[in-house]
């Protein structure tokens, strides 16, 4: 079993109760459902860096064409059609992302539940070293961009280099510097995760 991030409500979890189109197992403690996997366009306009980090999970190869929109911004747009569609690629912090989200839906009729399709880089039958490295890199990216990481890092830095019991306002200032790459009106790199700004 794996935990999934449901869009909206999760299906009922009562003993033996399953969404329509699903069947309860013999023990009644789980449901067996037919799953439909589809991809959806995520953005209709240029997203912010934070929106890219929160919503885009599918990487893309570097486009062969030139940037088509917001070429000097934090998020660059590459679109062969000139519109924001599922073929649009965004560049953010040196990485490229497709403008799509993969979704899994279970159930039927008005009883449909959906969750983000969890990524899997490993071929379970023949794992390769490259696939393992991609899996680990994906996990590290997820942890680095997690909403609690700035506060966690702030607490560790404050305890190591300052005081063993830092105040909430002290932690908030350090976490803000980590998020923005700036502190007290001085912009260091202006990038998320700038440890220089936290000093």
């Amino acid at each position: 079993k794996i935990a999934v991030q449901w869009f909206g409500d999760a299906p009922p979890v009562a003993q033996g109760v399953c969404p329509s189109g699903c069947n309860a197992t013999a023990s009644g403690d789980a449901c067996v459902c037919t799953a439909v996997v589809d991809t959806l366009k995520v953005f209709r306009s240029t997203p912010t860096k934070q929106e890219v980090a929160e919503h885009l999970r599918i990487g893309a190869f570097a486009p062969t064409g030139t940037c088509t929109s917001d070429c000097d911004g934090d998020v660059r747009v590459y679109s062969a059609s000139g519109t924001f569609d599922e073929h649009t690629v965004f560049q953010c912090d040196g990485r490229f992302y497709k403008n799509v989200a993969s979704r899994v839906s279970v159930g039927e009729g008005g009883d449909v539940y959906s969750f983000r399709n969890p990524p899997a880089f490993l071929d379970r039958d023949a794992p390769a070293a490259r696939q393992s490295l991609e899996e680990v890199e994906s996990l590290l990216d997820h942890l680095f961009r997690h909403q609690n990481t700035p506060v966690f890092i702030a607490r560790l830095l404050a305890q190591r280099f300052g005081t063993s019991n830092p105040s909430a306002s002290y932690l908030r200032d350090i976490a803000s510097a980590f998020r923005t790459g700036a502190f007290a009106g001085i912009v260091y790199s202006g990038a998320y995760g700038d440890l220089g700004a936290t000093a």
Side-chain angles (χ1 to χ4, degrees):
K1 293 182 179 181
I2 60 169
V4 296
Q5 180 182 11
W6 293 98
F7 297 127
D9 295 331
V13 293
Q15 186 76 7
V17 176
C18 294
S20 63
C22 300
N23 299 313
T25 58
S27 61
D29 63 347
C31 298
V32 178
C33 304
T34 301
V36 176
V37 180
D38 58 352
T39 56
L40 308 168
K41 175 174 67 172
V42 179
F43 295 109
R44 291 183 164 83
S45 61
T46 305
T48 64
K49 284 175 64 171
Q50 182 176 354
E51 289 172 332
V52 168
E54 289 175 3
H55 299 289
L56 297 182
R57 300 282 187 258
I58 301 175
F61 292 111
T64 56
T66 60
C67 175
T68 57
S69 180
D70 296 310
C71 300
D72 294 326
D74 290 334
V75 179
R76 296 178 182 172
V77 180
Y78 298 83
S79 175
S81 67
T83 62
F84 288 87
D85 58 19
E86 58 277 353
H87 303 292
T88 301
V89 173
F90 297 110
Q91 180 184 6
C92 182
D93 291 334
R95 295 190 173 206
F96 297 93
Y97 301 92
K98 292 182 182 180
N99 186 29
V100 294
S102 183
R103 179 183 68 178
V104 177
S105 300
V106 297
E108 294 178 348
D111 220 7
V112 176
Y113 300 91
S114 301
F115 60 89
R116 178 179 160 242
N117 192 8
F121 301 103
L122 294 176
D123 179 351
R124 296 181 195 274
D125 298 327
R130 182 179 65 74
Q131 293 171 332
S132 299
L133 291 173
E134 288 172 351
E135 187 89 16
V136 170
E137 186 175 319
S138 178
L139 172 64
L140 292 175
D141 285 345
H142 169 74
L143 294 175
F144 179 67
R145 292 288 179 184
H146 193 276
Q147 63 184 359
N148 292 340
T149 297
V151 176
F152 179 76
I153 296 293
R155 184 179 58 81
L156 291 178
L157 289 172
Q159 288 177 337
R160 177 71 173 147
F161 299 111
T163 177
S164 61
N165 190 17
S167 69
S169 62
Y170 188 44
L171 292 178
R172 192 176 325 109
D173 289 345
I174 297 171
S176 175
F178 184 87
R179 276 189 200 97
T180 63
F183 181 71
I186 300 171
V187 177
Y188 292 84
S189 70
Y192 178 91
D194 186 351
L195 290 177
T198 65

